[in-house]
Structure formats: structure tokens, C-alpha cells
């Protein structure tokens, strides 16, 4: 649990504990005091119950770990080549707006910022830390990134001629620690959900060449966007 | 066009909605000539399948004529008379290549929702069967958009009537797969089918076609039992007899070699187990009522198979797993890999081995769907199978 998060949780805990001890009904004192004591204990021990209860994976430094995998019916070399083309990554990873390749090792990544964030987008520079053709690509953000992060993608032949297992692991330090990660998840912007969607999109693009959809189909809901094609449907 | 809509639990409507359009170049649009209400649609009516939205177009048993094709469609063309399996399959992923079409990796755009409820990998898309299964508009309508058209559409060239081929979309393959899953030894094995609704009827007839020595059908609705008797099956009315005792006696104390649960999550049954199921389902403590499955497990002979074509949605309680373990049973279940069976079963129909129209009791225009959903559910008016004409 990062120091900042520990501090915030600790302060909140002490505040509630004090409020609980000061008065109010027995129930209020019990609830406030209990909550305050709990949060204070969390801050003192430094392990976040939010992280474990909601399965936010964290390492000892408080970085959030996100990983997922998908099996794609294509050879590893082909899939590696697609990922190795960093400028093309925004097609695979929806949250990426663009990636500019600066030189052999460095690139500049830009993502859509969360709502309310000034400027509308966040950029940082990253460097490639490993490049093993057909097997693995790894990268990390360079100092000065708004959200420190690193990641790797592994390509592993699936047993039984089933194509390639693509494994992605990301590490990042969310603003607000594990609580921030949880809030982001509830808001639907959490990287693990994003990653699952991205990997399924990648698989479907590779296997089908298109993405299955029901967007725009007809229904009995207002705003159903199917056209009245005038096929003589009885009105 | 006119379409049958889910408007909430116990509320089915028929309304005018926009005509479907091609959304992808691998789609076709089909003008629906016949469409049926499936027993599994009743789970939607009764609100037991999560993630339905008001205004969803229902229906997954339908056939018709192709009126528009996307650029990437190569195997079918405008004017083809086609039937479509109720489940959607891409045809290229590894499960599809192995013939496990209902396990298709790629056909469900809402994979994340399905994964959240069902675990690591997503279920395939289905026509008109909740957003968990893709949210695809169904075919109880005058027109329907059919995705993955080259894989989904099976042309019917013979002059068989709609009635005779319509059920290749679901209930005939579903009953057949249930019987096939038993691994029946011809001339030896006894098969018991729980539930004499449309799927049970087809499972029982399929067991006969696959050579079962004896087929026993269990239900409580007289006309359904009569339909099975007409095909030479033994029947048990579970409201008049103790099922387990009757099956024990009918099989010389061995139990049926294989049992088929063609009922699924809304089993009626009676006794304390059934009461507990109903209470738990009402309190949302359990999704499914499993009387039929309990009987299927408890009655089955040692080393036998419990085959489950009936639909289950979520979590069950008081499953006699110890019995299944103790007797070394094999449990087989799941959505039908319909695509596998369409052509072989069509040949059986063409060869005169079976005429699937035997289950039809009601034919009506689409506008009568709201009433007929309830007639079918409540087993009123001798209702076994409803076929709707969207243009009548």
C-alpha cells in the first residue's frame, strides 16, 4: 500500500474514530467508531482490504497488476509482428489514442484521459526493455510519466496445434492506490476489463477479420436505429 | 415490420419495429416464413434468464427466404430457402473446427457479461435469448438479420413443407443430441426421458432411431403422454405413480441405462424437494428447480448416462451428487451443437424416417403470440408446439 494512500486512510480512520467517541446515539458511536478503528488498523498494517476483497492484484510497492490471456488461431510470428508495430497498437488497444515511435527503443504513448481531466489526454514516453521475435515484447514508462507503468506481451505456442497463447501483463500505479483502482473499475475504465475486451477484439480480428456486433439492430426500444427498409412489412 | 417483443416478465407484445438491416457484410436478411415458440422461450416469459431488456425481439426457431446478402457472403444467395440453427457460430475458431458450435469463441459480442456469470470463457451467441448470449434480435418477426450467414444458413432444396424442416433449427437436433450423448447400445439399453414436451418427444424418438431396446417417457400432461404412447413408448404419469418406484419396476430393478432430463430449470414435480426448490427460486436463493434432474440421477442405472438437454441458468441446490458418484454416472449437458446435426437429420426427414411436424398442435398468426406463450406455458388447450405465421 503506497504511503500516500496509507496517510489518507489513516487520517480518515482517526477522524471517524474521534467522531464516534464524541457522541451521538449508541448505534452511531458503534458504527463510526468501528469504521474508524478498522480504517486506522488498515493504515497501520499497510495492507489494503479493498485490494484483496475486490481482487485488485497488487505487488509489494502498491503497483496494480493486470494480466489476461487469449488463444488465437494464428502462428506466433504473425501475432508478434502485429504487436511489434507499436504505431499500430491503438487498433488493438482501444484506450490508446496513438503511439509515436521515437527511435529504436523509445516511443510516445497517448491515452484518452478520464472524464474531468484537463487537456483530454495523457501522454508519456516509454522504452522497450525486451524484444524477442516471436516470443516476447516488454516496455516501461520513462521517468516523468503521469501514471507509471510497465508491461509485457508473451507469445507461446498453444498445445495441440491450436495457434498461439497471447499473454499480456501490465503493471501501473493508479492515482489513489487500490481504492482508486476500485473506483475506476466501477466506472468501467479499469485496465483489466479494458484488457479483456482488447484481447477478445484482437482474437476476433485475427480469426474472423471483423467484430461480431448487434449495434444498430432493430428492437422495440425507442431509438432503435434499424431502418425501415420498406420491404412491405405490415404496419 | 411486426415482431414479438419481450416487454418484461410475463409480458409479451407484438409491435411494429424497424426492419432489420445488414450490420456486417457477412450478414443476410431473411424474410421469415415460419417461426415457432420454444419451451426455452418460456424461461424468458417467466423471467428466469437474466439480462433481457424491454423491447428485445424474441424467437430462435425460424426459417424463411433470403432477401438481402452482404458482400462477404458466398455460400448462399437471395432467393434461397433456408433454416438457421438457434445458436450462432463463426465456423473458424477452434471449438467450431471441432464441431462444438455452441462453444464458439467469437459469436458473442457480450462475452464479458457471460464470463462474469459463467466463468473463464464465454458462451456462444443465440438468437433472441438475452444479452448474456449476445443480445441478437430473434426471428419471431417478419424479417430477421442473420449473422455469420455462410455458417448459419442451411438451404432446403427439397419440397418439404416448412412444418417438416422448421424444427431442425433447435428442438429436433436438441432431442437428438440428448439421445446421442447417451451412447445407446442398440437392442440393449433402456432410456427414460423426463419431460414429454417438444424436446422430450424428439429425444424419445431419437433414442428409438438410435436403437434403444425400450423407451420410457415421464410427464404429467395426458396429451403429451398420449403422443409418446402413439409412438410405442411406455409412459409414466408422475402425478399418479411414484416415478422412482415405477422406473425400478419397469427395468427389473436395474434402473434405466440412460436418463434424459428434457425439463430443465422450471421442473414442477412434487414432494419436499420440489417445494424447497420453488421457495428458493422465489426468494432468488436458487436459480433453478431441479426435480427432473434429481429423478434422472436417482433412477439411472449404475454406469449410466444422465443427459441434460433441458436448460439450466445458474446455481442449483440439493443436487444428489453423491448418488451420481456412487453409481459412476456420466453427466452430459449443454446447448446443442445444432450445425452438426442439420444435414444428417434433414436426410432422415427426406428419407421418411421421421416427420417432425407431429409435435405441432397450434398454428396461428404472429399477432396471437402473447396469448399462445401463456397457453403453451400453462399447457392449456392441449398445447404442445406453436408455429406462427408472420404474414398471416
Amino acid at each position: 500500500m503506497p504511503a500516500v494512500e496509507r496517510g489518507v486512510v489513516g487520517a480518515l480512520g482517526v477522524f471517524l474514530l474521534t467522531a464516534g467517541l464524541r457522541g451521538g446515539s449508541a448505534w452511531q458511536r458503534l458504527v463510526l467508531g468501528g469504521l474508524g478503528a478498522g480504517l486506522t488498523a488498515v493504515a497501520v498494517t499497510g495492507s489494503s482490504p479493498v485490494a484483496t476483497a475486490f481482487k485488485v492484484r497488487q505487488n509489494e510497492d502498491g503497483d496494480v497488476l493486470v494480466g489476461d490471456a487469449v488463444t488465437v488461431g494464428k502462428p506466433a510470428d504473425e501475432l508478434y509482428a502485429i504487436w511489434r508495430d507499436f504505431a499500430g497498437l491503438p487498433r488493438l488497444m482501444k484506450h490508446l489514442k496513438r503511439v509515436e515511435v521515437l527511435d529504436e527503443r523509445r516511443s510516445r504513448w497517448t491515452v484518452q484521459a478520464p472524464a474531468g481531466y484537463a487537456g483530454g489526454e495523457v501522454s508519456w514516453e516509454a522504452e522497450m526493455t525486451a524484444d524477442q521475435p516471436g516470443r516476447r515484447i516488454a516496455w516501461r514508462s520513462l521517468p516523468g510519466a503521469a501514471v507509471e507503468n510497465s508491461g509485457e506481451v508473451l507469445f507461446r505456442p498453444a498445445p495441440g496445434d491450436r495457434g498461439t497463447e497471447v499473454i499480456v501483463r501490465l503493471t501501473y500505479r493508479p492515482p489513489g492506490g487500490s481504492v482508486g483502482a476500485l473506483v475506476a473499475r466501477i466506472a468501467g475504465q479499469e485496465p483489466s476489463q479494458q484488457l479483456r475486451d482488447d484481447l477478445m477484439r484482437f482474437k476476433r480480428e485475427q480469426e474472423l477479420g471483423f467484430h461480431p456486433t448487434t449495434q444498430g439492430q432493430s428492437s422495440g426500444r425507442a431509438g432503435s436505429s434499424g431502418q425501415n427498409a420498406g420491404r412491405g412489412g405490415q404496419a | 415490420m411486426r415482431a414479438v417483443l419481450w416487454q418484461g416478465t410475463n409480458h409479451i407484445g407484438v409491435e411494429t419495429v424497424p426492419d432489420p438491416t445488414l450490420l456486417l457484410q457477412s450478414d443476410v436478411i431473411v424474410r421469415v416464413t415460419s417461426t415457432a415458440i420454444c419451451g426455452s422461450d418460456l424461461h424468458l416469459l417467466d423471467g428466469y434468464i437474466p439480462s433481457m431488456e424491454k423491447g428485445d425481439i424474441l424467437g430462435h426457431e425460424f426459417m424463411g427466404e433470403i432477401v438481402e446478402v452482404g458482400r462477404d457472403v458466398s455460400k448462399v444467395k437471395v432467393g434461397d430457402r433456408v433454416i438457421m440453427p438457434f445458436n450462432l457460430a463463426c465456423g473458424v475458431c477452434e471449438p467450431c473446427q471441432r464441431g462444438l458450435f455452441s462453444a464458439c469463441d467469437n459469436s458473442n459480442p457480450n462475452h464479458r457479461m457471460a464470463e462474469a456469470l459463467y466463468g473463464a470463457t464465454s458462451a456462444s451467441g443465440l438468437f433472441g435469448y438475452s444479452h448474456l448470449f449476445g443480445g441478437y434480435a430473434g426471428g419471431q418477426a417478419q424479417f430477421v438479420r442473420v449473422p455469420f450467414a455462410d455458417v448459419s444458413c442451411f438451404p432446403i432444396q427439397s419440397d418439404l413443407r416448412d412444418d417438416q424442416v422448421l424444427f431442425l433449427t433447435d428442438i429436433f437436433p436438441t432431442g437428438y443430441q440428448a439421445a446421442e450423448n447417451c451412447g445407446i447400445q442398440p437392442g440393449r439399453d433402456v432410456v427414460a426421458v423426463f419431460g414429454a414436451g417438444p424436446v422430450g418427444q424428439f429425444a424419445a424418438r431419437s433414442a428409438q432411431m438410435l436403437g434403444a431396446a425400450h423407451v420410457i417417457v415421464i410427464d404429467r400432461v395426458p396429451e403429451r403422454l398420449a403422443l409418446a404412447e402413439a409412438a410405442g413408448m411406455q409412459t409414466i404419469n408422475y402425478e399418479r405413480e411414484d416415478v422412482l418406484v415405477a422406473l425400478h419396476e419397469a427395468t427389473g430393478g436395474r434402473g434405466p441405462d440412460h436418463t434424459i432430463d428434457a425439463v430443465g430449470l422450471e421442473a414442477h414435480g412434487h414432494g419436499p424437494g420440489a417445494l424447497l426448490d420453488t421457495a428458493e427460486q422465489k426468494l432468488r436463493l436458487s436459480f433453478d428447480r431441479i426435480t427432473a434432474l434429481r429423478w434422472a440421477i436417482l433412477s439411472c442405472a449404475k454406469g449410466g448416462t444422465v443427459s441434460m438437454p433441458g436448460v439450466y441458468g445458474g446455481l442449483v441446490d440439493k443436487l444428489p451428487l453423491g448418488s451420481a458418484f456412487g453409481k459412476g454416472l456420466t453427466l452430459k449437458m449443454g446447448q446443442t451443437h445444432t450445425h452438426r446435426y442439420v444435414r444428417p437429420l434433414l436426410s432422415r426427414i427426406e428419407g421418411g424416417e421421421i416427420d417432425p411436424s407431429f409435435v405441432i398442435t397450434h398454428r396461428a398468426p404472429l399477432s396471437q403470440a402473447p396469448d399462445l406463450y401463456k397457453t403453451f406455458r400453462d399447457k392449456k388447450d392441449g398445447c404442445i408446439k406453436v408455429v406462427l405465421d408472420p404474414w398471416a
Side-chain angles (χ1 to χ4, degrees):
Chain A
M1 199 174 187
V4 179
E5 192 181 3
R6 250 172 108 168
V8 172
V9 172
L12 189 63
V14 171
F15 171 76
L16 290 177
L17 197 56
T18 322
L21 292 176
R22 265 201 204 139
S25 74
W27 274 113
Q28 279 172 339
R29 290 166 73 162
L30 194 65
V31 170
L32 290 177
L35 200 59
L39 288 176
T40 309
V42 164
V44 171
T45 59
S47 79
S48 165
V50 171
T52 43
F54 293 93
K55 296 184 181 163
V56 174
R57 287 158 65 200
Q58 275 184 301
N59 66 12
E60 285 170 2
D61 297 331
D63 296 329
V64 175
L65 311 176
V66 172
D68 212 328
V70 72
T71 301
V72 182
K74 285 281 172 80
D77 289 342
E78 246 177 73
L79 302 181
Y80 160 85
I82 292 162
W83 281 79
R84 181 62 186 79
D85 171 24
F86 286 159
L89 283 183
R91 276 197 313 116
L92 307 183
M93 306 180 89
K94 257 189 153 176
H95 68 290
L96 281 179
K97 285 188 82 175
R98 58 185 177 276
V99 178
E100 299 143 88
V101 177
L102 302 175
D103 61 33
E104 269 297 286
R105 303 201 71 77
R106 290 186 313 125
S107 47
R108 181 160 196 83
W109 300 51
T110 303
V111 300
Q112 184 76 46
Y117 191 93
E121 49 184 50
V122 182
S123 293
W124 68 88
E125 279 187 23
E127 66 167 353
M128 191 160 51
T129 54
D131 182 18
Q132 299 163 266
R135 292 180 51 202
R136 177 172 180 254
I137 306 167
W139 62 89
R140 70 165 170 241
S141 60
L142 287 166
V147 179
E148 280 177 55
N149 68 89
S150 64
E152 64 173 342
V153 52
L154 309 173
F155 304 92
R156 195 163 65 192
D161 201 23
R162 279 182 281 190
T164 304
E165 297 171 0
V166 180
I167 298 108
V168 176
R169 297 183 185 134
L170 304 172
T171 305
Y172 70 105
R173 186 169 293 222
S178 54
V179 175
L182 181 66
V183 170
R185 179 188 289 182
I186 291 163
Q189 296 173 336
E190 207 245 352
S192 68
Q193 295 174 3
Q194 194 76 255
L195 179 59
R196 184 76 197 136
D197 286 347
D198 287 344
L199 285 180
M200 286 304 282
R201 281 177 59 81
F202 177 58
K203 174 186 169 71
R204 287 166 178 181
E205 193 164 293
Q206 292 306 309
E207 291 186 351
L208 298 180
F210 62 88
H211 303 290
T213 185
T214 56
Q215 289 287 314
Q217 73 179 354
S218 49
S219 78
R221 285 179 285 278
S224 153
S225 52
Q227 300 298 304
N228 209 319
R231 284 198 187 83
Q234 292 171 354
Chain B
M1 67 168 181
R2 300 293 282 170
V4 178
L5 305 178
W6 189 86
Q7 298 291 35
T9 298
N10 250 321
H11 188 186
I12 303 292
V14 177
E15 285 176 28
T16 299
V17 302
D19 284 359
T21 54
L22 300 175
L23 300 182
L24 293 167
Q25 292 305 324
S26 46
D27 298 344
V28 299
I29 304 294
V30 167
R31 179 188 184 276
V32 179
T33 52
S34 289
T35 180
I37 305 175
C38 180
S40 64
D41 287 328
L42 303 177
H43 305 319
L44 304 176
L45 173 70
D46 292 342
Y48 291 119
I49 303 292
S51 78
M52 288 298 291
E53 289 176 20
K54 281 183 186 171
D56 284 345
I57 302 176
L58 293 167
H60 57 265
E61 295 178 356
F62 54 89
M63 62 181 294
E65 184 190 325
I66 296 178
V67 292
E68 191 178 350
V69 300
R71 275 194 308 277
D72 299 339
V73 175
S74 60
K75 293 184 179 154
V76 288
K77 57 183 189 308
V78 169
D80 282 357
R81 181 180 180 226
V82 290
I83 71 112
M84 277 68 54
F86 70 96
N87 32 18
L88 289 157
C90 76
V92 299
C93 67
E94 204 255 346
C96 282
Q97 291 293 319
R98 289 168 62 207
L100 303 176
F101 294 98
S102 74
C104 174
D105 280 341
N106 292 327
S107 63
N108 185 351
N110 300 335
H111 58 91
R112 201 208 276 162
M113 197 193 284
E115 286 165 1
L117 186 59
Y118 290 150
T121 58
S122 74
S124 77
L126 306 174
F127 280 109
Y129 213 78
S130 89
H131 292 261
L132 193 59
F133 297 107
Y136 288 99
Q140 285 167 8
Q142 291 180 315
F143 293 98
V144 61
R145 166 210 171 213
V146 177
F148 304 103
D150 279 339
V151 186
S152 299
C153 295
F154 289 81
I156 304 292
Q157 264 114 19
S158 56
D159 53 5
L160 292 164
R161 300 187 317 275
D162 276 17
D163 281 357
Q164 295 171 290
V165 292
L166 176 60
F167 303 139
L168 289 169
T169 55
D170 182 350
I171 51 173
F172 185 14
T174 295
Y176 187 86
Q177 178 178 288
E180 191 182 70
N181 274 344
C182 293
I184 296 166
Q185 284 195 38
R188 174 191 181 276
D189 287 355
V190 179
V191 177
V193 179
F194 291 86
V199 168
Q201 297 286 345
F202 280 109
R205 301 237 180 170
S206 298
Q208 284 180 326
M209 287 196 290
L210 291 170
H214 189 54
V215 179
I216 306 165
V217 175
I218 299 103
D219 205 300
R220 60 173 180 155
V221 181
E223 58 272 18
R224 296 184 174 203
L225 292 172
L227 195 58
E229 273 161 25
M233 291 144 194
Q234 182 184 345
T235 59
I236 297 171
N237 183 331
Y238 71 78
E239 287 189 330
R240 303 229 178 95
E241 297 176 76
D242 183 312
V243 177
L244 297 178
V245 171
L247 282 173
H248 190 77
E249 192 188 299
T251 56
R254 299 183 309 275
D257 297 292
H258 311 287
T259 56
I260 295 175
D261 168 9
V263 177
L265 66 89
E266 292 188 66
H268 290 274
H270 52 186
L275 284 174
L276 186 64
D277 284 346
T278 306
E280 288 186 0
Q281 200 178 43
K282 287 246 181 331
L283 293 168
R284 291 289 188 254
L285 290 173
S286 178
F287 282 78
D288 305 320
R289 303 198 301 256
I290 63 163
T291 302
L293 179 58
R294 281 193 198 104
W295 283 343
I297 291 174
L298 294 172
S299 66
C300 193
K302 288 174 284 189
T305 310
V306 177
S307 173
M308 301 160 57
V311 171
Y312 287 92
L315 307 166
V316 302
D317 197 14
K318 307 290 183 289
L319 178 75
L321 205 55
S323 165
F325 181 86
K327 294 192 285 187
L329 304 184
T330 301
L331 269 63
K332 290 204 170 188
M333 65 194 87
Q335 294 285 10
T336 310
H337 304 303
T338 320
H339 300 65
R340 242 198 238 171
Y341 298 101
V342 174
R343 288 197 183 91
L345 296 184
L346 178 60
S347 321
R348 285 184 191 262
I349 299 169
E350 286 168 345
E353 260 183 89
I354 184 167
D355 178 352
S357 64
F358 76 92
V359 288
I360 302 172
T361 51
H362 289 64
R363 289 184 178 78
L366 204 66
S367 56
Q368 288 183 26
D371 289 338
L372 285 169
Y373 262 79
K374 289 177 182 170
T375 306
F376 182 26
R377 178 191 60 194
D378 303 335
K379 296 157 186 85
K380 297 264 173 63
D381 195 26
C383 185
I384 296 176
K385 189 70 184 177
V386 179
V387 175
L388 303 167
D389 179 347
W391 300 91

